[in-house]
Amino acid sequence: MNVTIGLADLIRVSPMIALFISSLIPLTVKVLKKNHEPSPQATLIQGLGGIIAAAVLLLTVYFVLSTGPDSTAFADSIIFDGVTLLSGLIALVAAAFSLMLMYDNPSTRGNQFAELTFLTMSSVLGMLVLSSAMDLVVMFIGLETMSLSLYLMIAMSHEERLSKEAAFKYFVLGGFASAVLLYGLSFIFGSAGTTHLSEIIQKTPELITSSRLFLFGMTLTMLGFCFKVSIFPFQAWTPDVYQGAPTPHSALMATAVKVVSFAAFLRIILSQSFVVSENLFDIFQWLAVLTMIVGNVAAILQNNFKRMLAYSSVAHSGYLLVGLITTGITGEVSFAASGVLFYLLGYSIMTLGAFALVSLLEKSENDSISIESLGGLSKRKPLMAFCLTLFLLSLAGIPPTVGFFGKFYLFSAAISQGLIWLALWGVLNSVISAYYYLRPIVVMYMHEGEEQERPMEASFPTQTVVIISAILVVILGVFSGPLFSVIEGVLS
Amino acid sequence: MLLSSVVFFPALCALLLSLWPVQKLLKSFALFLSLIEFGISLFILSQFDVSTASLQMVEKYPWIERFGINYFLGIDGLSIWLVMLTTFLMPIVILGSWNSIEKKWKGFLACLFVLQTAMIGTFLAIDAIFFYFFWELSLVPMYFIIGIWGGQRRIYATVKFFIYTMLGSVLMLVAMIYMMFLTEQAFGTMSASLLDFYRLNIPFVGGQFFSLQTLLFFAFSLAFAIKVPMFPFHTWLPDAHVEAPTPGSVILAGVMLKMGTYGFLRWVIPLFPEATEYWAWLFIFVAVLGIVYGALVAMVQTDIKKLVAYSSVSHMGYVILGLFSMNSFGFTGGLYQMLNHGVSTGALFLLVGMIYERTHSREISKYGGLANVLPFYSIGFFIVTLSSIAVPLTNGFVGEFLILLGSYASNPVFTYVAVLGVVLGAVYMLWMFKRVFFGPESVLIKEHPLHDLSVREYFVLVPLVVLIFWMGVFPKQFLGFSKTSIDHLVAHRSDYILMVQGQEGKQP
């Protein structure tokens, strides 16, 4: 294959180039300073600047250059369509917020902040590649770039025991999942003769019935993604890793990583395998239901706040899988896919807000926040307690928050495709979830005389993240209609 | 603008109060704001056109155009009195809770006003999703009111209340979304408007549970039945009532339970006429069961508040009995009984709250001889008791009489049993009254220095007592507002259509 790289290609990938170059700045500065940690404010500003530049370039590339069908680069292996734009933007915003949390959090701030910033940004680079990949190999490269940076970031924490365990667990299981994914990809390549996704999608309806190997490969690939987005029965790593990792990293994994993984998953699902293969369709429906149930029921039993959020994120993956299945049977980027992306946006904001609050409460690197330790928060920090209440109600799907409208769009799509029973499981699960989302609120507002001394430092960036997220949770909820139309417009 | 202001003025009040800098005048300011709100609703009442069954003062703006969801408010004879009830009870509740709430006044008042927005919004929203928005929103402030200012087991009670109600309403949400897609199939464009839902012809197969109209009917009914609450979904109610602070109980019993019965009247009965007709026996049966069961359980209660809570189950059973009789008397009686229950049970909870403030006990057995010590309080309590057991000249009589009249026309057998509830109602209320107010003075009363009603408490009780007699003697002045709407519902039950005033001629 003769691949020529033109200027147009380079311009299209300019967001990634910008991200890469600006990620090197903090490291270079540190080297020039003879390995003395540069001022963290400067590093934070460099990091945020790089992310903002990438976001601006992403928007420019989409709106200026991508008119018409020619929105691909490098021989169609990278595409700049609506899915790339939206998931990329959500991931960038989530990464920016996480970076602000890292600046404050006791287990990440200090003398390795420059390296952390570099790793975060290279992880985001991987995310952008993953979300824009139209070639299975490129997809794999993106996935690994993203994951490898994350393994390192988690292991770099100042926290002694849990984070090392988390990093190791994440590394081993992540490697295992990558192997499964790669194994699946090899079967797809073997039977379809190409790694290019658009060609595979064309061949799928025919191949999936005629070639067992192709079906096998497709299933393994999807299961690999199921691991990444913690779908039952591949969810077991999630609580351990989210709990053990420093809170900002958990926030990054629960939002940005999940968003782009779902975006890539979406591209695979669009191959219409569900329409052709009844078995696959049935299996994934049950996986969605079981994921919701397992996530929610396990979350009820948790006492550690981060662990509870981890299980809640598993449950939300279940809701999102309902959206993916709906997209899969429509077989086009449409209503259902818009529902998925809107939900990802809403979910990212409320989850980031909740993790930011956990980060705000942590005093030292070995601190663990139990739900009881939220006691009396409404007296000490009424605004923060109110924001957390908003996030939790939104996660439970109570109007007028974005969480309600996210579920509304997701389940409307499912109902429109006749998947009423999945929608029923979804809403019943949100009732179960209300039980554990209410618990922190009970502790914050309704328990008396159990106030714990937890003086909070006035950490400006983290509080900014909390307040911006809280405002967005309400605004995006009440004005979700126009936003949803915009998403749908961008996708179609 | 009128309806928007009556819905969202309380939300604005909540915001204002949470930013109010002075602790001192907080309560007076809140009272003032709630009186303004009552003034707005009185103005709506004065502008209300009784000659039409169409929706009036309609406000309709696109909200989520993609799904045909609108910001859609409208008022008619079915909702006007429920709005009035809400705005009328609010100043009374604030005045009544003057001393009973001890902490966090700001948060309490903010919750109360947000709750008012949610309740009035529920009564006025004519769009399914907009309705659901208010319906779910009402859970949050009530959850906080019970959970923060409630009694000993408040957390158990409030979580139970929240989860129970939410469980009912999510199925309704799925049904609503499904009906939105039905409108798309039927009319080409998706719409969440209730007026378009009314025009749908949903296929009904009698005797088959898994047929479309029956399933939708039960999805909606479950949500409303839990809210009412109908037997056997009533178990959250006694817990919530006993643990809630007095103002919470008053709002809960006075208005929030009516959201359920209003739902039946506005949504279930006109939307699913065949299913309603077919399954009416079930609801009437359960309603009668609730009437008798509630009364019997109330009889054995040792806690006054719990007694009143169970009497609510019994009284709300009458409302359901009236509504599912589906004739003019039944609907009118059901609607009137909603108001009566709001007034008299609200008053009962306030009275129980007053005595609790004095003695810090609600045990019936610890009382006795109150009539000697607190004569005026006892007179007030007695009048409200009479209203609650539906003695002629009080409001309760009109409502229950109309309901029994309506239900006799359609189901004589069930009516015989329901009448039993009237007797049982008199039994538990009067027996309780006897034990608390007559006999020798108990130790508890001797221990506490009791003073009769204060000026503030007169202001709380007198409007309610006046209303009890007013509604009992001149029911026509109230029912006149709802007559056209109810006649329209009775006449067109199987092909119910609601128009917007001024656009009756146009085909939508």
Side-chain angles (χ1 to χ4, degrees), chain A residues 122-169:
Chain A
S122 55
S123 173
V124 177
L125 175 63
M127 292 176 197
L128 284 189
V129 174
L130 178 58
S131 68
S132 59
M134 274 304 271
D135 188 286
L136 294 177
V137 176
V138 177
M139 202 175 259
F140 187 73
I141 292 172
L143 192 69
E144 286 306 292
T145 316
M146 172 180 90
S147 307
L148 280 172
S149 315
L150 274 171
Y151 303 144
L152 261 177
M153 283 163 71
I154 298 171
M156 266 169 62
S157 158
H158 308 322
E159 198 267 337
E160 288 302 319
R161 202 173 49 83
L162 277 178
S163 70
K164 305 297 176 281
E165 187 196 322
F168 197 68
K169 201 171 250 173

Short mmCIF file of all heavy atoms in Angstrom, two decimals, chain A residues 122-169:
data_model
loop_
_atom_site.label_atom_id
_atom_site.label_comp_id
_atom_site.label_asym_id
_atom_site.label_seq_id
_atom_site.Cartn_x
_atom_site.Cartn_y
_atom_site.Cartn_z
N SER A 122 -0.23 12.93 27.38
CA SER A 122 -0.01 11.89 26.37
C SER A 122 -1.12 10.85 26.44
O SER A 122 -1.50 10.28 25.41
CB SER A 122 1.36 11.24 26.55
OG SER A 122 1.50 10.78 27.85
N SER A 123 -1.69 10.67 27.63
CA SER A 123 -2.86 9.79 27.71
C SER A 123 -4.01 10.37 26.90
O SER A 123 -4.70 9.65 26.17
CB SER A 123 -3.24 9.63 29.18
OG SER A 123 -4.43 8.94 29.30
N VAL A 124 -4.19 11.69 27.01
CA VAL A 124 -5.26 12.34 26.25
C VAL A 124 -4.98 12.23 24.75
O VAL A 124 -5.91 12.05 23.95
CB VAL A 124 -5.41 13.81 26.68
CG1 VAL A 124 -6.46 14.49 25.84
CG2 VAL A 124 -5.76 13.90 28.13
N LEU A 125 -3.72 12.31 24.40
CA LEU A 125 -3.35 12.12 22.99
C LEU A 125 -3.84 10.76 22.50
O LEU A 125 -4.45 10.64 21.44
CB LEU A 125 -1.83 12.24 22.86
CG LEU A 125 -1.22 11.96 21.50
CD1 LEU A 125 -1.73 12.97 20.50
CD2 LEU A 125 0.29 12.02 21.57
N GLY A 126 -3.56 9.75 23.34
CA GLY A 126 -4.05 8.41 22.99
C GLY A 126 -5.56 8.39 22.86
O GLY A 126 -6.12 7.75 21.97
N MET A 127 -6.24 9.13 23.74
CA MET A 127 -7.71 9.16 23.68
C MET A 127 -8.18 9.74 22.36
O MET A 127 -9.12 9.23 21.75
CB MET A 127 -8.25 10.00 24.83
CG MET A 127 -8.04 9.39 26.19
SD MET A 127 -8.62 10.53 27.44
CE MET A 127 -7.82 9.87 28.87
N LEU A 128 -7.53 10.82 21.93
CA LEU A 128 -7.94 11.44 20.67
C LEU A 128 -7.73 10.47 19.51
O LEU A 128 -8.58 10.37 18.62
CB LEU A 128 -7.16 12.73 20.42
CG LEU A 128 -7.57 13.95 21.24
CD1 LEU A 128 -6.85 15.19 20.75
CD2 LEU A 128 -9.06 14.16 21.18
N VAL A 129 -6.61 9.76 19.54
CA VAL A 129 -6.36 8.79 18.48
C VAL A 129 -7.43 7.70 18.51
O VAL A 129 -8.02 7.35 17.49
CB VAL A 129 -4.95 8.17 18.64
CG1 VAL A 129 -4.75 7.05 17.64
CG2 VAL A 129 -3.89 9.24 18.46
N LEU A 130 -7.72 7.22 19.72
CA LEU A 130 -8.71 6.15 19.87
C LEU A 130 -10.07 6.59 19.34
O LEU A 130 -10.75 5.85 18.65
CB LEU A 130 -8.80 5.74 21.34
CG LEU A 130 -9.81 4.68 21.70
CD1 LEU A 130 -9.53 3.40 20.94
CD2 LEU A 130 -9.78 4.39 23.19
N SER A 131 -10.45 7.82 19.69
CA SER A 131 -11.80 8.24 19.31
C SER A 131 -11.89 8.58 17.83
O SER A 131 -12.99 8.66 17.30
CB SER A 131 -12.24 9.43 20.15
OG SER A 131 -11.47 10.55 19.82
N SER A 132 -10.75 8.78 17.17
CA SER A 132 -10.85 9.14 15.76
C SER A 132 -10.42 8.00 14.85
O SER A 132 -10.44 8.15 13.63
CB SER A 132 -10.00 10.38 15.47
OG SER A 132 -8.66 10.11 15.83
N ALA A 133 -10.02 6.87 15.43
CA ALA A 133 -9.45 5.80 14.61
C ALA A 133 -10.52 5.14 13.75
O ALA A 133 -11.60 4.81 14.23
CB ALA A 133 -8.79 4.77 15.50
N MET A 134 -10.20 4.94 12.49
CA MET A 134 -11.07 4.17 11.61
C MET A 134 -10.36 2.91 11.14
O MET A 134 -10.80 2.22 10.23
CB MET A 134 -11.48 5.01 10.39
CG MET A 134 -12.69 5.87 10.63
SD MET A 134 -14.11 4.93 11.17
CE MET A 134 -14.82 4.51 9.58
N ASP A 135 -9.23 2.66 11.75
CA ASP A 135 -8.48 1.47 11.40
C ASP A 135 -8.22 0.71 12.68
O ASP A 135 -7.88 1.30 13.71
CB ASP A 135 -7.15 1.89 10.76
CG ASP A 135 -6.42 0.70 10.19
OD1 ASP A 135 -5.86 -0.08 11.00
OD2 ASP A 135 -6.41 0.56 8.96
N LEU A 136 -8.37 -0.60 12.62
CA LEU A 136 -8.30 -1.36 13.87
C LEU A 136 -6.92 -1.25 14.53
O LEU A 136 -6.81 -1.20 15.75
CB LEU A 136 -8.64 -2.82 13.61
CG LEU A 136 -10.09 -3.05 13.16
CD1 LEU A 136 -10.32 -4.51 12.84
CD2 LEU A 136 -11.05 -2.60 14.25
N VAL A 137 -5.87 -1.18 13.71
CA VAL A 137 -4.54 -1.09 14.29
C VAL A 137 -4.32 0.28 14.95
O VAL A 137 -3.79 0.37 16.05
CB VAL A 137 -3.47 -1.36 13.21
CG1 VAL A 137 -2.09 -1.18 13.78
CG2 VAL A 137 -3.65 -2.75 12.66
N VAL A 138 -4.79 1.32 14.26
CA VAL A 138 -4.67 2.66 14.84
C VAL A 138 -5.45 2.72 16.15
O VAL A 138 -5.01 3.29 17.15
CB VAL A 138 -5.18 3.72 13.85
CG1 VAL A 138 -5.13 5.10 14.47
CG2 VAL A 138 -4.37 3.68 12.58
N MET A 139 -6.61 2.10 16.13
CA MET A 139 -7.44 2.05 17.34
C MET A 139 -6.65 1.42 18.49
O MET A 139 -6.64 1.93 19.61
CB MET A 139 -8.68 1.22 17.03
CG MET A 139 -9.86 1.47 17.93
SD MET A 139 -11.28 0.52 17.34
CE MET A 139 -12.20 1.77 16.49
N PHE A 140 -5.98 0.33 18.16
CA PHE A 140 -5.22 -0.36 19.20
C PHE A 140 -4.08 0.51 19.71
O PHE A 140 -3.82 0.57 20.91
CB PHE A 140 -4.68 -1.68 18.63
CG PHE A 140 -4.02 -2.52 19.67
CD1 PHE A 140 -4.78 -3.17 20.62
CD2 PHE A 140 -2.65 -2.63 19.72
CE1 PHE A 140 -4.18 -3.93 21.60
CE2 PHE A 140 -2.04 -3.39 20.70
CZ PHE A 140 -2.81 -4.05 21.64
N ILE A 141 -3.42 1.21 18.79
CA ILE A 141 -2.33 2.09 19.22
C ILE A 141 -2.84 3.18 20.16
O ILE A 141 -2.25 3.46 21.20
CB ILE A 141 -1.65 2.71 17.98
CG1 ILE A 141 -0.92 1.62 17.20
CG2 ILE A 141 -0.68 3.81 18.39
CD1 ILE A 141 -0.39 2.09 15.88
N GLY A 142 -3.97 3.76 19.78
CA GLY A 142 -4.56 4.80 20.62
C GLY A 142 -4.88 4.26 22.01
O GLY A 142 -4.55 4.87 23.03
N LEU A 143 -5.49 3.09 22.02
CA LEU A 143 -5.89 2.47 23.29
C LEU A 143 -4.67 2.26 24.18
O LEU A 143 -4.68 2.55 25.38
CB LEU A 143 -6.57 1.14 22.98
CG LEU A 143 -7.30 0.45 24.11
CD1 LEU A 143 -8.52 1.25 24.47
CD2 LEU A 143 -7.70 -0.94 23.70
N GLU A 144 -3.59 1.76 23.58
CA GLU A 144 -2.40 1.46 24.38
C GLU A 144 -1.69 2.72 24.85
O GLU A 144 -1.23 2.80 25.99
CB GLU A 144 -1.45 0.57 23.57
CG GLU A 144 -1.93 -0.85 23.44
CD GLU A 144 -2.24 -1.48 24.79
OE1 GLU A 144 -1.32 -1.73 25.57
OE2 GLU A 144 -3.43 -1.72 25.08
N THR A 145 -1.64 3.73 24.00
CA THR A 145 -1.03 5.00 24.42
C THR A 145 -1.77 5.53 25.63
O THR A 145 -1.17 5.97 26.62
CB THR A 145 -1.12 6.03 23.28
OG1 THR A 145 -0.76 5.40 22.08
CG2 THR A 145 -0.23 7.22 23.56
N MET A 146 -3.08 5.49 25.53
CA MET A 146 -3.90 5.99 26.63
C MET A 146 -3.65 5.17 27.90
O MET A 146 -3.39 5.73 28.97
CB MET A 146 -5.37 5.89 26.22
CG MET A 146 -6.37 6.18 27.29
SD MET A 146 -8.03 6.00 26.62
CE MET A 146 -8.34 4.27 26.96
N SER A 147 -3.67 3.85 27.77
CA SER A 147 -3.60 3.00 28.95
C SER A 147 -2.21 3.02 29.59
O SER A 147 -2.09 3.12 30.81
CB SER A 147 -3.97 1.57 28.61
OG SER A 147 -5.20 1.55 27.96
N LEU A 148 -1.18 2.94 28.75
CA LEU A 148 0.17 2.88 29.31
C LEU A 148 0.47 4.11 30.15
O LEU A 148 1.03 4.03 31.25
CB LEU A 148 1.19 2.74 28.19
CG LEU A 148 1.34 1.33 27.66
CD1 LEU A 148 2.23 1.31 26.43
CD2 LEU A 148 1.92 0.42 28.74
N SER A 149 0.05 5.29 29.65
CA SER A 149 0.28 6.50 30.44
C SER A 149 -0.45 6.40 31.77
O SER A 149 0.07 6.82 32.81
CB SER A 149 -0.22 7.72 29.68
OG SER A 149 0.19 7.66 28.35
N LEU A 150 -1.65 5.84 31.72
CA LEU A 150 -2.43 5.75 32.95
C LEU A 150 -1.80 4.82 33.97
O LEU A 150 -1.76 5.13 35.17
CB LEU A 150 -3.85 5.27 32.64
CG LEU A 150 -4.83 6.35 32.25
CD1 LEU A 150 -6.12 5.72 31.77
CD2 LEU A 150 -5.12 7.26 33.44
N TYR A 151 -1.27 3.66 33.48
CA TYR A 151 -0.64 2.74 34.43
C TYR A 151 0.46 3.47 35.21
O TYR A 151 0.56 3.38 36.43
CB TYR A 151 0.00 1.55 33.70
CG TYR A 151 -0.94 0.74 32.84
CD1 TYR A 151 -0.50 0.19 31.66
CD2 TYR A 151 -2.25 0.50 33.23
CE1 TYR A 151 -1.34 -0.57 30.85
CE2 TYR A 151 -3.09 -0.25 32.44
CZ TYR A 151 -2.64 -0.78 31.25
OH TYR A 151 -3.47 -1.52 30.46
N LEU A 152 1.26 4.21 34.44
CA LEU A 152 2.37 4.93 35.06
C LEU A 152 1.87 5.97 36.05
O LEU A 152 2.40 6.10 37.16
CB LEU A 152 3.17 5.65 33.97
CG LEU A 152 4.43 4.97 33.50
CD1 LEU A 152 5.05 5.77 32.38
CD2 LEU A 152 5.40 4.88 34.67
N MET A 153 0.85 6.71 35.61
CA MET A 153 0.34 7.78 36.47
C MET A 153 -0.12 7.24 37.82
O MET A 153 0.14 7.82 38.87
CB MET A 153 -0.84 8.47 35.79
CG MET A 153 -0.43 9.44 34.71
SD MET A 153 -1.82 9.82 33.65
CE MET A 153 -2.81 10.82 34.74
N ILE A 154 -0.84 6.10 37.75
CA ILE A 154 -1.36 5.55 39.01
C ILE A 154 -0.20 5.10 39.90
O ILE A 154 -0.18 5.37 41.10
CB ILE A 154 -2.31 4.37 38.72
CG1 ILE A 154 -3.49 4.86 37.92
CG2 ILE A 154 -2.78 3.73 40.01
CD1 ILE A 154 -4.36 3.77 37.40
N ALA A 155 0.79 4.46 39.27
CA ALA A 155 1.91 3.94 40.07
C ALA A 155 2.75 5.06 40.67
O ALA A 155 3.43 4.86 41.68
CB ALA A 155 2.77 3.05 39.19
N MET A 156 2.68 6.25 40.07
CA MET A 156 3.51 7.36 40.56
C MET A 156 2.96 8.03 41.81
O MET A 156 3.60 8.92 42.37
CB MET A 156 3.60 8.45 39.48
CG MET A 156 4.81 8.33 38.58
SD MET A 156 4.62 9.45 37.21
CE MET A 156 4.56 11.01 38.04
N SER A 157 1.78 7.61 42.25
CA SER A 157 1.15 8.28 43.39
C SER A 157 2.04 8.25 44.63
O SER A 157 2.82 7.33 44.84
CB SER A 157 -0.17 7.59 43.69
OG SER A 157 -0.54 7.84 45.01
N HIS A 158 1.92 9.26 45.48
CA HIS A 158 2.66 9.26 46.74
C HIS A 158 2.08 8.25 47.72
O HIS A 158 2.70 7.91 48.71
CB HIS A 158 2.59 10.64 47.41
CG HIS A 158 2.99 11.73 46.50
ND1 HIS A 158 4.01 11.58 45.60
CD2 HIS A 158 2.52 12.99 46.34
CE1 HIS A 158 4.14 12.71 44.92
NE2 HIS A 158 3.25 13.57 45.34
N GLU A 159 0.87 7.84 47.45
CA GLU A 159 0.22 6.92 48.37
C GLU A 159 0.96 5.59 48.33
O GLU A 159 1.46 5.17 47.29
CB GLU A 159 -1.25 6.74 47.96
CG GLU A 159 -2.14 6.18 49.02
CD GLU A 159 -2.24 4.69 48.92
OE1 GLU A 159 -2.00 4.13 47.84
OE2 GLU A 159 -2.55 4.07 49.94
N GLU A 160 1.03 4.92 49.47
CA GLU A 160 1.98 3.83 49.58
C GLU A 160 1.51 2.51 48.98
O GLU A 160 2.15 1.92 48.13
CB GLU A 160 2.34 3.61 51.07
CG GLU A 160 3.21 4.72 51.63
CD GLU A 160 4.52 4.86 50.85
OE1 GLU A 160 5.10 3.83 50.50
OE2 GLU A 160 4.95 5.99 50.58
N ARG A 161 0.37 2.01 49.44
CA ARG A 161 0.07 0.62 49.18
C ARG A 161 -1.00 0.42 48.11
O ARG A 161 -0.77 -0.21 47.09
CB ARG A 161 -0.38 -0.03 50.49
CG ARG A 161 -0.24 -1.53 50.54
CD ARG A 161 -0.54 -2.02 51.93
NE ARG A 161 -1.80 -1.46 52.41
CZ ARG A 161 -2.98 -1.97 52.12
NH1 ARG A 161 -3.08 -3.02 51.37
NH2 ARG A 161 -4.08 -1.43 52.58
N LEU A 162 -2.16 1.03 48.37
CA LEU A 162 -3.31 0.76 47.52
C LEU A 162 -3.07 1.14 46.07
O LEU A 162 -3.47 0.45 45.14
CB LEU A 162 -4.54 1.50 48.05
CG LEU A 162 -5.28 0.80 49.18
CD1 LEU A 162 -6.44 1.66 49.64
CD2 LEU A 162 -5.78 -0.55 48.71
N SER A 163 -2.39 2.27 45.87
CA SER A 163 -2.24 2.73 44.50
C SER A 163 -1.29 1.84 43.72
O SER A 163 -1.46 1.63 42.52
CB SER A 163 -1.75 4.17 44.48
OG SER A 163 -0.43 4.23 44.92
N LYS A 164 -0.31 1.29 44.40
CA LYS A 164 0.59 0.36 43.71
C LYS A 164 -0.18 -0.89 43.31
O LYS A 164 -0.06 -1.39 42.20
CB LYS A 164 1.76 -0.02 44.63
CG LYS A 164 2.55 1.17 45.16
CD LYS A 164 3.23 1.96 44.05
CE LYS A 164 3.92 3.20 44.61
NZ LYS A 164 2.98 4.30 44.87
N GLU A 165 -0.99 -1.35 44.26
CA GLU A 165 -1.81 -2.52 43.95
C GLU A 165 -2.73 -2.21 42.78
O GLU A 165 -2.89 -3.02 41.85
CB GLU A 165 -2.62 -2.90 45.19
CG GLU A 165 -3.39 -4.19 45.04
CD GLU A 165 -4.47 -4.33 46.08
OE1 GLU A 165 -4.24 -3.93 47.23
OE2 GLU A 165 -5.54 -4.84 45.74
N ALA A 166 -3.31 -1.02 42.83
CA ALA A 166 -4.25 -0.64 41.77
C ALA A 166 -3.54 -0.58 40.42
O ALA A 166 -4.04 -1.09 39.42
CB ALA A 166 -4.88 0.72 42.09
N ALA A 167 -2.36 0.02 40.43
CA ALA A 167 -1.63 0.14 39.17
C ALA A 167 -1.30 -1.23 38.62
O ALA A 167 -1.46 -1.51 37.42
CB ALA A 167 -0.35 0.95 39.39
N PHE A 168 -0.85 -2.11 39.51
CA PHE A 168 -0.47 -3.44 39.06
C PHE A 168 -1.67 -4.21 38.52
O PHE A 168 -1.63 -4.84 37.48
CB PHE A 168 0.18 -4.20 40.24
CG PHE A 168 0.96 -5.38 39.79
CD1 PHE A 168 2.13 -5.22 39.06
CD2 PHE A 168 0.51 -6.67 40.07
CE1 PHE A 168 2.84 -6.31 38.63
CE2 PHE A 168 1.23 -7.76 39.64
CZ PHE A 168 2.40 -7.59 38.91
N LYS A 169 -2.77 -4.11 39.27
CA LYS A 169 -3.99 -4.80 38.86
C LYS A 169 -4.48 -4.29 37.51
O LYS A 169 -4.83 -5.05 36.61
CB LYS A 169 -5.06 -4.56 39.93
CG LYS A 169 -6.17 -5.57 39.94
CD LYS A 169 -7.04 -5.36 41.15
CE LYS A 169 -6.88 -6.48 42.15
NZ LYS A 169 -7.58 -6.22 43.40
#
